[in-house]
Amino acid sequence: MTATPARDALALLPRVRIVLVEPSHPGNIGAAARAMKVMGLRELVLVSPRWPDAPSQPEAIAFASGATDVLSAVRISSSFTDAIGDATLAVAVSARGREYGPPPQPPERIAELALDELAAHPQHRVAFVFGSERIGLSIEQAGRCQRLLSIPTDADYDSLNLAQAVQIVAYCLRRAALQ
């Protein structure tokens, strides 16, 4: 990230949206909310969750471990397009590279790019898009994003838990803001 005082860069984080596409486990939604809150992110959007009331389910609240303000502010959308909304930069988070589209980049690099975008354009917003626990993002969904973030994992087992992936991305964003 270009030289921005850490305090100013931390102020960019509320303009980052986390989008979970078709989440099926309320516990993952709660754990993602917790991961977001400890890193300074607050905007969580769910696209067609398995249960429309997932953020208020006991498992979500328990896994949120105090991040109930993030859960209570969750926006639920039936449309991928609506969930991305006014984001000027959408980042697909996926373990798989795509034949077409942008090459995958590590979370540290994408975090820097996202914060540079937000710092340069005060009205812009960035969305990080995570696929369902079972199958990830579709080719079409990933293709609607301008960047592809891939967390480097072991080649023999590249399946991260949804909330763990959110935590890694949120940490990289906060770390980039503090540099």
Side-chain angles (χ1 to χ4, degrees), residues 122-144:
Q123 303 307 318
H124 286 197
R125 301 184 71 77
V126 174
F128 285 83
V129 185
F130 297 78
S132 73
E133 293 96 332
R134 208 169 46 79
I135 58 170
L137 291 171
S138 71
I139 292 171
E140 178 186 339
Q141 290 164 337
R144 297 189 60 202

Side-chain angles (χ1 to χ4, degrees), residues 62-121:
F63 279 66
S65 189
T68 53
D69 56 330
V70 175
L71 284 181
S72 66
V74 163
R75 184 168 58 91
I76 296 181
S77 175
S78 60
S79 157
F80 183 85
T81 301
D82 179 59
I84 300 301
D86 61 349
T88 52
L89 174 63
V91 178
V93 180
S94 179
R96 296 185 300 263
R98 310 291 180 186
E99 183 177 349
Y100 302 103
Q105 294 180 291
E108 297 87 354
R109 179 66 184 129
I110 294 288
E112 291 172 359
L113 291 170
L115 292 179
D116 284 346
E117 165 94 5
L118 295 173
H121 306 283

Side-chain angles (χ1 to χ4, degrees), residues 21 29 38 42 57 71 88 114-115 134 151 154 160 166 172 177:
V21 178
I29 296 166
V38 300
R42 299 289 187 270
Q57 291 201 1
L71 284 181
T88 52
L115 292 179
R134 208 169 46 79
I151 298 167
D154 188 84
L160 277 173
V166 170
C172 289

Side-chain angles (χ1 to χ4, degrees), residues 22 44 49 70 78 102 117 120 126 138 146 153 168 178:
E22 299 176 6
L44 178 58
V70 175
S78 60
E117 165 94 5
V126 174
S138 71
Q146 292 85 16
T153 58
I168 290 168
L178 290 170

